[in-house]
Amino acid sequence: MTIRTTFAACAAAAAGLWLPPLCHAQSSVTLYGVMDVTVRHASNAASGGGSLNTVGDGYFGGSRLGFKGSENLGGGLRALYMLEMGIDPSTGLLLQSTAAANYGQAASASSRAFGRESWVGLSSATWGALTFGRQYTLAHQAAARIQPMGNPNADAVIVLSNHHMARQDNMVKYAKEFGPFDVAGSVTLSEGNGRGSGLSAGYRAAGFDAVLYGQNLSAAAGGEVRRIRGGGAAYQIAPSWKAFLAYMTRSHEISPQRNKVATAGLHYYATPALTLTASYTHDRQNTFGTNASGRRQVAWLSADYYLSKRTDLYAAVDHNKIGGGYVLPSFMATRGSQTGVTAGVRHRF
C-alpha cells in the first residue's frame, strides 16, 4: 500500500498536529509485508535423535512488516528510509535477537522492533546512494544474487549467511551503478559492538549476473577478525532454465578455523506459475592444530506454485550430513544426518 502526499495536504495535517509543514510535493510512504508460514517434519531434530514436527517462519524468506519512503528533493536527489521488522508467524513474536554484543551488532536478548532493517539516507542518480543505520552486509546482498531463491531463511538450508552474517548495526553504506556495473562499500562503526567493512562489485546484463565481494567482521573485544571472500554468477541459460554457482571462504585473524564453501543450483520454470529448484552446498571446515576439521553437505529440492502474483504455495525436501569435527548445527539433535520435509504458504502485501 502506497500513500502519496502533497504539500497542501501535509501542511494541513501539520497545522492540525502542531508540526512544521516540512512535506515535499513528491513524497511517498509504502507499507508492505510478507507473511510466510511453514509446517515441517524433520528427522534427528528432537532430543535423543527423534523426529520433530514444527510450525515456523518461511523457508526461503522471513515474514516481515515494513515501512519505506522517499522524497524528491529536486536536482535528482532523493531522501530515503526503511524500517522493517521480522515476525515469527507461528507465535507473533518479533525476531532478530542477538545474545551478546559482537561482530557489529548490539546485544538484544529477546528481539528487535526493527531488526531486519533500520536506516535513512540520500540517493542521487549521479552520485549514488549513501545510507546510515542497521543494514544488510554487502556479503549478504551479494550472496543473494548467486544462490537459487537468494539467501534462505530456514536453519536447515542456511550456509553462507552463517559465515558472513546478514546484518550489522551502525553501518555507513555507499552504492553506485555505472550502466551494467555496480559497486558498493560499507564501514561499520564499533560503539563497543565490533567493527566491520565490506566491498562488492558486480555486473548484470543479458540474463547474466556476476559479483565479487569481501567482508571483514571484527569482534567487540578486538583482536579477532573474520574475513569473508566470495563470488559467483547466475545465468539464464534458456527461457526455462537458470543456473547458479557461488564460492566463499572464511578465515580468521586468530582462530584456527577456515571454511571453503561451494554451492550450485538450478531453476526450472516448468510453467509461468511453477518453479522447480535444486541446490547443493558443500562446506569444508579446516581447523589447524585441533580435531574440529570436518564438513557439512546440504542438498534440497523445492517446488513453488503461484496462485496469484501475491500468494504462493511451496514444498521442499532437504538433507543435511555432518562429518568429522564440524560443529553440530542447532537444528540437529545428534551428529550424522537429517532429512526434512517442509510445506509453506506465503502472501505478500
Side-chain angles (χ1 to χ4, degrees), residues 32 60-64 82 84-86 96 105 115-119 131-144 151 153 161 164-174 184-188 197-198 200 215 217:
Y32 66 94
F60 297 114
S63 299
R64 69 201 70 179
M82 177 173 285
E84 187 175 276
M85 62 178 64
Q96 284 79 51
Q105 294 194 94
R116 294 185 63 88
E117 295 187 77
S118 174
W119 54 261
T131 51
F132 308 84
R134 178 172 171 83
Q135 303 178 69
Y136 286 113
T137 62
L138 291 179
H140 194 71
Q141 290 180 311
N151 289 299
N153 186 60
S161 297
H164 62 229
M165 295 184 58
R167 307 167 183 87
Q168 288 187 311
D169 303 331
N170 312 315
M171 183 185 292
V172 180
K173 182 187 293 183
Y174 172 78
S186 68
V187 175
T188 299
S197 60
S200 70
Q215 192 80 40
L217 308 163

Side-chain angles (χ1 to χ4, degrees), residues 42-52 328 331-339:
S43 65
N44 191 19
S47 178
S51 61
L52 184 65
L328 181 68
F331 60 86
M332 293 178 64
T334 63
R335 305 194 68 79
S337 63
Q338 179 191 89
T339 299

Side-chain angles (χ1 to χ4, degrees), residues 249-275:
T249 64
R250 166 182 171 173
S251 63
H252 289 257
E253 185 80 14
I254 299 173
S255 167
Q257 180 178 340
R258 304 288 188 272
N259 289 77
K260 297 179 180 180
V261 185
T263 183
L266 192 66
H267 278 331
Y268 173 58
Y269 305 102
T271 72
L274 176 63
T275 301

Side-chain angles (χ1 to χ4, degrees), residues 184-252:
S186 68
V187 175
T188 299
L189 307 182
S190 174
E191 298 189 26
N193 307 322
R195 302 180 183 277
S197 60
L199 289 171
S200 70
Y203 175 83
R204 291 186 178 99
F208 180 73
D209 187 358
V211 64
L212 295 172
Y213 61 90
Q215 192 80 40
N216 291 344
L217 308 163
S218 299
E224 184 66 284
V225 178
R226 184 187 305 181
R227 294 188 172 92
I228 304 297
R229 304 291 184 265
Y235 181 54
Q236 192 80 43
I237 55 180
S240 297
W241 296 91
K242 187 173 184 178
F244 302 82
L245 186 64
Y247 182 77
M248 186 216 75
T249 64
R250 166 182 171 173
S251 63
H252 289 257

Side-chain angles (χ1 to χ4, degrees), residues 22-43:
L22 298 180
C23 300
H24 193 277
Q26 296 181 2
S27 64
S28 68
V29 179
T30 300
L31 168 66
Y32 66 94
V34 177
M35 290 304 293
D36 188 346
V37 66
T38 58
V39 178
R40 178 174 173 82
H41 173 83
S43 65

